[in-house]
Amino acid sequence: MARQGETYFKQYDARGGLYKQAQTSSPMRDHRRAFRAQFDFSLKGKRLLDAGCGYGSDLPFYAKRGAKVYGIDPSTAMIALAKQSHPNFPNLSVQPVQKTAFPARSFDVIASIYALHNAPDLRQAFRELHRILKPNGLLLFLVQHPLFVFLLKKNPRYHGKAVVKFTIPDMKPPCTIVQPAHTFSDYFNEFVFDRFELLTFEEGKEAVPLWFLAKLRKRGAPR
Ligand SMILES: C[S@@+](CC[C@H](N)C(=O)[O-])C[C@H]1O[C@@H](n2cnc3c(N)ncnc32)[C@H](O)[C@@H]1O
């Protein structure tokens, strides 16, 4: 039997269509605007992976800037929706971020919005992202803010493993997703800083920030 941690994405198999409907019918939110603003460098000729691309809302943004775009998501339904919405993107496949089939040093840039926090083991995810990035390649990710996640906890101990329930805004009928609760030190720790240099950090401006983003550069080799 699959461990629960390996199956968080299955919720998107069941609800992907409704998620796409809710997202496409609401205006672009601050988090996506802030994330896109990070692409202040040329993507021309760069190989870019959207890790956890969902139904593919950001694929055209990267392609318009000249990137050769790849997308992965462990949800079969999400990848089916992405292929349906973007038939001109041939490189979309069903794969989780923590174990991909890409050769080492495949990508110049990896981008990931609201997906990485679903990975139960972030160390494994960072190890894999590091493996498939080229030296000096960029990793940009945006995830749920650990403070927001902390307030969803039934037993409010910041440290300690837990799963939380989160209701995605604007979805009708309301959609509650179960996901692992990560702390800041799951993202920023010696293991990660051995492999990546932190270039940018930004967090949501909401009363309780919903998200944070980070831009990291892969170091030549772990120190
Ligand atoms: C909230 S959606 C975001 C999708 C898309 N990036 C967007 O901004 O619309 C979360 C996505 O993360 C995906 N996901 C869940 N677990 C994942 C994992 N281990 N690796 C990569 N993606 C994952 C889900 O299948 C889902 O498509």
Side-chain angles (χ1 to χ4, degrees), residues 9 12 19 32 52-54 57-58 73-75 78 96-98 113-115 118-119:
F9 66 86
Y12 286 93
Y19 174 76
R32 211 172 293 278
C53 64
S57 54
D58 297 298
D73 198 291
S75 161
M78 283 305 217
V97 72
Q98 58 270 31
I113 300 192
Y114 269 137
N118 290 294

PDB file of all heavy atoms in Angstrom, residues 9 12 19 32 52-54 57-58 73-75 78 96-98 113-115 118-119, ligand 1:
ATOM      1  N   PHE A   9      -1.036  14.202  -3.964  1.00  0.00           N
ATOM      2  CA  PHE A   9      -1.403  14.691  -5.289  1.00  0.00           C
ATOM      3  C   PHE A   9      -2.683  14.043  -5.817  1.00  0.00           C
ATOM      4  O   PHE A   9      -3.345  14.602  -6.682  1.00  0.00           O
ATOM      5  CB  PHE A   9      -0.254  14.459  -6.278  1.00  0.00           C
ATOM      6  CG  PHE A   9       0.028  13.007  -6.533  1.00  0.00           C
ATOM      7  CD1 PHE A   9      -0.682  12.314  -7.496  1.00  0.00           C
ATOM      8  CD2 PHE A   9       0.988  12.329  -5.793  1.00  0.00           C
ATOM      9  CE1 PHE A   9      -0.445  10.975  -7.720  1.00  0.00           C
ATOM     10  CE2 PHE A   9       1.235  10.989  -6.011  1.00  0.00           C
ATOM     11  CZ  PHE A   9       0.512  10.307  -6.970  1.00  0.00           C
ATOM     12  N   TYR A  12      -5.724  15.981  -6.313  1.00  0.00           N
ATOM     13  CA  TYR A  12      -5.858  16.790  -7.534  1.00  0.00           C
ATOM     14  C   TYR A  12      -6.345  15.946  -8.704  1.00  0.00           C
ATOM     15  O   TYR A  12      -6.905  16.474  -9.650  1.00  0.00           O
ATOM     16  CB  TYR A  12      -4.530  17.483  -7.866  1.00  0.00           C
ATOM     17  CG  TYR A  12      -4.256  18.635  -6.923  1.00  0.00           C
ATOM     18  CD1 TYR A  12      -3.505  18.454  -5.773  1.00  0.00           C
ATOM     19  CD2 TYR A  12      -4.776  19.899  -7.183  1.00  0.00           C
ATOM     20  CE1 TYR A  12      -3.273  19.498  -4.898  1.00  0.00           C
ATOM     21  CE2 TYR A  12      -4.555  20.951  -6.307  1.00  0.00           C
ATOM     22  CZ  TYR A  12      -3.796  20.736  -5.170  1.00  0.00           C
ATOM     23  OH  TYR A  12      -3.576  21.792  -4.306  1.00  0.00           O
ATOM     24  N   TYR A  19     -10.530  22.778  -9.859  1.00  0.00           N
ATOM     25  CA  TYR A  19      -9.426  23.689  -9.512  1.00  0.00           C
ATOM     26  C   TYR A  19      -9.142  24.610 -10.698  1.00  0.00           C
ATOM     27  O   TYR A  19      -9.052  25.822 -10.561  1.00  0.00           O
ATOM     28  CB  TYR A  19      -8.174  22.888  -9.135  1.00  0.00           C
ATOM     29  CG  TYR A  19      -6.955  23.750  -8.900  1.00  0.00           C
ATOM     30  CD1 TYR A  19      -6.829  24.488  -7.725  1.00  0.00           C
ATOM     31  CD2 TYR A  19      -5.959  23.872  -9.862  1.00  0.00           C
ATOM     32  CE1 TYR A  19      -5.726  25.315  -7.511  1.00  0.00           C
ATOM     33  CE2 TYR A  19      -4.864  24.689  -9.663  1.00  0.00           C
ATOM     34  CZ  TYR A  19      -4.752  25.402  -8.483  1.00  0.00           C
ATOM     35  OH  TYR A  19      -3.663  26.224  -8.284  1.00  0.00           O
ATOM     36  N   ARG A  32       0.993  35.081  -7.816  1.00  0.00           N
ATOM     37  CA  ARG A  32       1.482  34.762  -9.164  1.00  0.00           C
ATOM     38  C   ARG A  32       2.173  35.978  -9.775  1.00  0.00           C
ATOM     39  O   ARG A  32       3.190  35.868 -10.451  1.00  0.00           O
ATOM     40  CB  ARG A  32       0.335  34.285 -10.051  1.00  0.00           C
ATOM     41  CG  ARG A  32       0.774  33.289 -11.115  1.00  0.00           C
ATOM     42  CD  ARG A  32      -0.388  32.674 -11.858  1.00  0.00           C
ATOM     43  NE  ARG A  32      -1.230  31.825 -11.051  1.00  0.00           N
ATOM     44  CZ  ARG A  32      -0.962  30.542 -10.769  1.00  0.00           C
ATOM     45  NH1 ARG A  32       0.111  29.974 -11.252  1.00  0.00           N
ATOM     46  NH2 ARG A  32      -1.784  29.832 -10.022  1.00  0.00           N
ATOM     47  N   GLY A  52       5.395  20.650 -10.837  1.00  0.00           N
ATOM     48  CA  GLY A  52       4.054  20.762 -10.247  1.00  0.00           C
ATOM     49  C   GLY A  52       3.261  21.770 -11.049  1.00  0.00           C
ATOM     50  O   GLY A  52       2.655  22.686 -10.501  1.00  0.00           O
ATOM     51  N   CYS A  53       3.258  21.566 -12.359  1.00  0.00           N
ATOM     52  CA  CYS A  53       2.695  22.582 -13.281  1.00  0.00           C
ATOM     53  C   CYS A  53       1.173  22.620 -13.250  1.00  0.00           C
ATOM     54  O   CYS A  53       0.570  23.537 -13.791  1.00  0.00           O
ATOM     55  CB  CYS A  53       3.175  22.334 -14.711  1.00  0.00           C
ATOM     56  SG  CYS A  53       2.611  20.753 -15.403  1.00  0.00           S
ATOM     57  N   GLY A  54       0.533  21.606 -12.601  1.00  0.00           N
ATOM     58  CA  GLY A  54      -0.928  21.595 -12.560  1.00  0.00           C
ATOM     59  C   GLY A  54      -1.500  21.580 -13.970  1.00  0.00           C
ATOM     60  O   GLY A  54      -1.011  20.865 -14.853  1.00  0.00           O
ATOM     61  N   SER A  57      -1.061  26.628 -16.159  1.00  0.00           N
ATOM     62  CA  SER A  57      -1.373  28.059 -16.308  1.00  0.00           C
ATOM     63  C   SER A  57      -0.143  28.920 -16.612  1.00  0.00           C
ATOM     64  O   SER A  57      -0.258  29.949 -17.256  1.00  0.00           O
ATOM     65  CB  SER A  57      -2.063  28.588 -15.051  1.00  0.00           C
ATOM     66  OG  SER A  57      -1.282  28.286 -13.921  1.00  0.00           O
ATOM     67  N   ASP A  58       1.027  28.492 -16.165  1.00  0.00           N
ATOM     68  CA  ASP A  58       2.207  29.350 -16.342  1.00  0.00           C
ATOM     69  C   ASP A  58       3.064  28.974 -17.550  1.00  0.00           C
ATOM     70  O   ASP A  58       4.033  29.675 -17.855  1.00  0.00           O
ATOM     71  CB  ASP A  58       3.071  29.300 -15.066  1.00  0.00           C
ATOM     72  CG  ASP A  58       2.305  29.850 -13.874  1.00  0.00           C
ATOM     73  OD1 ASP A  58       1.948  31.031 -13.911  1.00  0.00           O
ATOM     74  OD2 ASP A  58       2.024  29.080 -12.944  1.00  0.00           O
ATOM     75  N   ASP A  73       3.948  16.911 -13.238  1.00  0.00           N
ATOM     76  CA  ASP A  73       3.010  16.908 -12.116  1.00  0.00           C
ATOM     77  C   ASP A  73       2.683  15.441 -11.855  1.00  0.00           C
ATOM     78  O   ASP A  73       2.527  14.673 -12.800  1.00  0.00           O
ATOM     79  CB  ASP A  73       1.738  17.691 -12.490  1.00  0.00           C
ATOM     80  CG  ASP A  73       0.938  18.087 -11.264  1.00  0.00           C
ATOM     81  OD1 ASP A  73       0.356  17.191 -10.606  1.00  0.00           O
ATOM     82  OD2 ASP A  73       0.921  19.302 -10.931  1.00  0.00           O
ATOM     83  N   PRO A  74       2.605  15.036 -10.579  1.00  0.00           N
ATOM     84  CA  PRO A  74       2.317  13.625 -10.313  1.00  0.00           C
ATOM     85  C   PRO A  74       0.847  13.263 -10.557  1.00  0.00           C
ATOM     86  O   PRO A  74       0.496  12.087 -10.592  1.00  0.00           O
ATOM     87  CB  PRO A  74       2.673  13.457  -8.831  1.00  0.00           C
ATOM     88  CG  PRO A  74       2.571  14.821  -8.261  1.00  0.00           C
ATOM     89  CD  PRO A  74       2.881  15.788  -9.352  1.00  0.00           C
ATOM     90  N   SER A  75      -0.006  14.275 -10.711  1.00  0.00           N
ATOM     91  CA  SER A  75      -1.432  14.004 -10.931  1.00  0.00           C
ATOM     92  C   SER A  75      -1.706  13.788 -12.419  1.00  0.00           C
ATOM     93  O   SER A  75      -1.521  14.694 -13.238  1.00  0.00           O
ATOM     94  CB  SER A  75      -2.264  15.177 -10.395  1.00  0.00           C
ATOM     95  OG  SER A  75      -3.548  15.142 -10.976  1.00  0.00           O
ATOM     96  N   MET A  78      -4.213  16.297 -13.755  1.00  0.00           N
ATOM     97  CA  MET A  78      -3.672  17.645 -13.989  1.00  0.00           C
ATOM     98  C   MET A  78      -2.883  17.681 -15.287  1.00  0.00           C
ATOM     99  O   MET A  78      -2.998  18.630 -16.072  1.00  0.00           O
ATOM    100  CB  MET A  78      -2.795  18.084 -12.815  1.00  0.00           C
ATOM    101  CG  MET A  78      -3.578  18.515 -11.602  1.00  0.00           C
ATOM    102  SD  MET A  78      -4.785  19.813 -11.982  1.00  0.00           S
ATOM    103  CE  MET A  78      -4.707  20.802 -10.536  1.00  0.00           C
ATOM    104  N   PRO A  96       6.541  13.001 -10.006  1.00  0.00           N
ATOM    105  CA  PRO A  96       6.630  13.829  -8.800  1.00  0.00           C
ATOM    106  C   PRO A  96       7.975  14.553  -8.764  1.00  0.00           C
ATOM    107  O   PRO A  96       8.938  14.108  -9.397  1.00  0.00           O
ATOM    108  CB  PRO A  96       6.552  12.801  -7.667  1.00  0.00           C
ATOM    109  CG  PRO A  96       7.159  11.573  -8.245  1.00  0.00           C
ATOM    110  CD  PRO A  96       6.893  11.588  -9.735  1.00  0.00           C
ATOM    111  N   VAL A  97       8.020  15.630  -8.034  1.00  0.00           N
ATOM    112  CA  VAL A  97       9.242  16.438  -7.985  1.00  0.00           C
ATOM    113  C   VAL A  97      10.374  15.708  -7.257  1.00  0.00           C
ATOM    114  O   VAL A  97      11.548  15.927  -7.537  1.00  0.00           O
ATOM    115  CB  VAL A  97       8.932  17.809  -7.352  1.00  0.00           C
ATOM    116  CG1 VAL A  97       8.695  17.685  -5.855  1.00  0.00           C
ATOM    117  CG2 VAL A  97      10.010  18.816  -7.622  1.00  0.00           C
ATOM    118  N   GLN A  98      10.018  14.781  -6.367  1.00  0.00           N
ATOM    119  CA  GLN A  98      11.077  14.154  -5.548  1.00  0.00           C
ATOM    120  C   GLN A  98      11.797  13.013  -6.259  1.00  0.00           C
ATOM    121  O   GLN A  98      12.809  12.538  -5.764  1.00  0.00           O
ATOM    122  CB  GLN A  98      10.550  13.713  -4.171  1.00  0.00           C
ATOM    123  CG  GLN A  98       9.392  12.749  -4.172  1.00  0.00           C
ATOM    124  CD  GLN A  98       8.044  13.453  -4.166  1.00  0.00           C
ATOM    125  OE1 GLN A  98       7.905  14.545  -4.698  1.00  0.00           O
ATOM    126  NE2 GLN A  98       7.049  12.819  -3.590  1.00  0.00           N
ATOM    127  N   ILE A 113       5.230  26.688  -8.537  1.00  0.00           N
ATOM    128  CA  ILE A 113       4.276  27.517  -7.782  1.00  0.00           C
ATOM    129  C   ILE A 113       3.298  26.637  -7.024  1.00  0.00           C
ATOM    130  O   ILE A 113       2.605  25.800  -7.622  1.00  0.00           O
ATOM    131  CB  ILE A 113       3.474  28.448  -8.723  1.00  0.00           C
ATOM    132  CG1 ILE A 113       4.400  29.377  -9.493  1.00  0.00           C
ATOM    133  CG2 ILE A 113       2.454  29.248  -7.939  1.00  0.00           C
ATOM    134  CD1 ILE A 113       3.689  30.501 -10.220  1.00  0.00           C
ATOM    135  N   TYR A 114       3.206  26.848  -5.716  1.00  0.00           N
ATOM    136  CA  TYR A 114       2.229  26.173  -4.851  1.00  0.00           C
ATOM    137  C   TYR A 114       2.225  24.656  -5.045  1.00  0.00           C
ATOM    138  O   TYR A 114       1.159  24.044  -5.027  1.00  0.00           O
ATOM    139  CB  TYR A 114       0.819  26.737  -5.085  1.00  0.00           C
ATOM    140  CG  TYR A 114       0.470  27.902  -4.170  1.00  0.00           C
ATOM    141  CD1 TYR A 114      -0.189  29.038  -4.646  1.00  0.00           C
ATOM    142  CD2 TYR A 114       0.783  27.867  -2.820  1.00  0.00           C
ATOM    143  CE1 TYR A 114      -0.511  30.099  -3.818  1.00  0.00           C
ATOM    144  CE2 TYR A 114       0.462  28.914  -1.975  1.00  0.00           C
ATOM    145  CZ  TYR A 114      -0.180  30.022  -2.477  1.00  0.00           C
ATOM    146  OH  TYR A 114      -0.495  31.066  -1.630  1.00  0.00           O
ATOM    147  N   ALA A 115       3.370  24.065  -5.269  1.00  0.00           N
ATOM    148  CA  ALA A 115       3.420  22.611  -5.478  1.00  0.00           C
ATOM    149  C   ALA A 115       4.382  21.925  -4.511  1.00  0.00           C
ATOM    150  O   ALA A 115       4.063  20.884  -3.941  1.00  0.00           O
ATOM    151  CB  ALA A 115       3.821  22.307  -6.915  1.00  0.00           C
ATOM    152  N   ASN A 118       3.636  20.220  -1.160  1.00  0.00           N
ATOM    153  CA  ASN A 118       2.928  18.929  -1.139  1.00  0.00           C
ATOM    154  C   ASN A 118       3.878  17.749  -1.002  1.00  0.00           C
ATOM    155  O   ASN A 118       3.441  16.638  -0.711  1.00  0.00           O
ATOM    156  CB  ASN A 118       2.127  18.744  -2.431  1.00  0.00           C
ATOM    157  CG  ASN A 118       0.944  19.671  -2.516  1.00  0.00           C
ATOM    158  OD1 ASN A 118       0.010  19.555  -1.736  1.00  0.00           O
ATOM    159  ND2 ASN A 118       0.987  20.620  -3.445  1.00  0.00           N
ATOM    160  N   ALA A 119       5.154  17.988  -1.260  1.00  0.00           N
ATOM    161  CA  ALA A 119       6.124  16.882  -1.158  1.00  0.00           C
ATOM    162  C   ALA A 119       6.323  16.563   0.317  1.00  0.00           C
ATOM    163  O   ALA A 119       6.678  17.435   1.111  1.00  0.00           O
ATOM    164  CB  ALA A 119       7.442  17.282  -1.798  1.00  0.00           C
TER     165      ALA A 119
HETATM  166  C1  LIG B   1      -2.338  24.201  -5.999  1.00  0.00           C
HETATM  167  S1  LIG B   1      -1.836  23.227  -7.392  1.00  0.00           S
HETATM  168  C2  LIG B   1      -0.739  24.338  -8.223  1.00  0.00           C
HETATM  169  C3  LIG B   1      -0.610  24.007  -9.679  1.00  0.00           C
HETATM  170  C4  LIG B   1       0.072  25.066 -10.540  1.00  0.00           C
HETATM  171  N1  LIG B   1       1.484  25.208 -10.232  1.00  0.00           N
HETATM  172  C5  LIG B   1      -0.641  26.393 -10.384  1.00  0.00           C
HETATM  173  O1  LIG B   1      -0.008  27.347  -9.892  1.00  0.00           O
HETATM  174  O2  LIG B   1      -1.822  26.470 -10.744  1.00  0.00           O
HETATM  175  C6  LIG B   1      -0.744  22.074  -6.626  1.00  0.00           C
HETATM  176  C7  LIG B   1      -0.153  21.084  -7.615  1.00  0.00           C
HETATM  177  O3  LIG B   1       0.932  20.404  -6.973  1.00  0.00           O
HETATM  178  C8  LIG B   1       0.937  19.102  -7.472  1.00  0.00           C
HETATM  179  N2  LIG B   1       1.728  18.233  -6.595  1.00  0.00           N
HETATM  180  C9  LIG B   1       1.350  17.524  -5.522  1.00  0.00           C
HETATM  181  N3  LIG B   1       2.373  16.804  -5.018  1.00  0.00           N
HETATM  182  C10 LIG B   1       3.437  17.070  -5.806  1.00  0.00           C
HETATM  183  C11 LIG B   1       4.778  16.602  -5.835  1.00  0.00           C
HETATM  184  N4  LIG B   1       5.221  15.728  -4.944  1.00  0.00           N
HETATM  185  N5  LIG B   1       5.601  17.053  -6.830  1.00  0.00           N
HETATM  186  C12 LIG B   1       5.147  17.938  -7.747  1.00  0.00           C
HETATM  187  N6  LIG B   1       3.882  18.416  -7.771  1.00  0.00           N
HETATM  188  C13 LIG B   1       3.034  17.982  -6.822  1.00  0.00           C
HETATM  189  C14 LIG B   1      -0.548  18.737  -7.517  1.00  0.00           C
HETATM  190  O4  LIG B   1      -0.800  17.573  -8.286  1.00  0.00           O
HETATM  191  C15 LIG B   1      -1.138  20.009  -8.086  1.00  0.00           C
HETATM  192  O5  LIG B   1      -1.195  19.992  -9.488  1.00  0.00           O
END
